Amino acid sequence: MIMSKNNGSAVTRDEAVALIELVEVEAVVAAVEVPEPVVLTIVKPELVLAPRKLSLDERIQKVEDLSLLIDRYRILNESRRKLQTFQLGADGLSSSIQLRDAAGNEFRTSNSAVINTVIDEMKRTLDTKVREVEELIDL
């Protein structure tokens, strides 16, 4: 028999072993880290709709539109090539530029600085327009 220190009552050996085992189990449970609860996320697959098949008229229209864009692209590229090969005369007087509006008003100059400025602006504009047409051509 084992005497309890707390209240002086007698405890049998089996009861003492059971208490010790209980204390050991509680210590083990307290020492074991409990993992965080697992959170499950349900992901619904997105519906992927097949693209609608174009009718024959719609396909013909797309081909015609593409043909027009290709023609426009070729014209812009040809203008850009011609502008790149354009050279002013060394004397500054042999080259001139002439602008005419719908009303028949006309502007003409042979000033090389003005001509260079106009050519540079035309190059930038043509480059921009070529890029725009390239973006529109979608295959």
Side-chain angles (χ1 to χ4, degrees):
M1 239 193 245
I2 304 171
M3 297 296 287
S4 173
K5 290 183 178 179
N6 293 340
N7 60 10
S9 63
V11 178
T12 65
R13 183 177 193 289
D14 291 336
E15 291 174 337
V17 169
L19 282 172
I20 291 172
E21 287 176 355
L22 181 62
V23 169
E24 288 176 349
V25 169
E26 288 176 352
V28 169
V29 169
V32 173
E33 291 184 23
V34 178
E36 292 292 321
V38 177
V39 177
L40 297 177
T41 304
I42 299 174
V43 179
K44 293 181 182 179
E46 291 184 25
L47 295 176
V48 178
L49 299 176
R52 182 181 67 83
K53 188 174 181 178
L54 299 175
S55 70
L56 181 58
D57 287 336
E58 291 170 327
R59 287 183 280 173
I60 290 171
Q61 185 62 46
K62 282 187 84 94
V63 170
E64 290 173 353
D65 292 345
L66 181 61
S67 178
L68 291 173
L69 285 172
I70 290 170
D71 291 343
R72 186 173 167 196
Y73 175 80
R74 286 182 178 151
I75 291 169
L76 287 169
N77 253 346
E78 182 62 29
S79 296
R80 187 168 56 172
R81 271 190 236 112
K82 286 180 182 178
L83 197 55
Q84 287 172 341
T85 59
F86 183 82
Q87 293 182 1
L88 291 175
D91 60 359
L93 298 175
S94 61
S95 298
S96 66
I97 192 166
Q98 175 182 349
L99 301 173
R100 185 176 305 135
D101 65 7
N105 298 319
E106 187 177 296
F107 170 77
R108 178 184 292 231
T109 184
S110 58
N111 184 324
S112 60
V114 173
I115 295 173
N116 280 331
T117 303
V118 170
I119 289 173
D120 289 342
E121 189 58 38
M122 289 172 66
K123 285 179 183 177
R124 280 193 292 279
T125 303
L126 281 171
D127 289 341
T128 301
K129 291 299 180 185
V130 167
R131 279 193 301 275
E132 287 175 4
V133 171
E134 287 173 348
E135 290 173 6
L136 290 173
I137 297 175
D138 183 24
L139 298 178

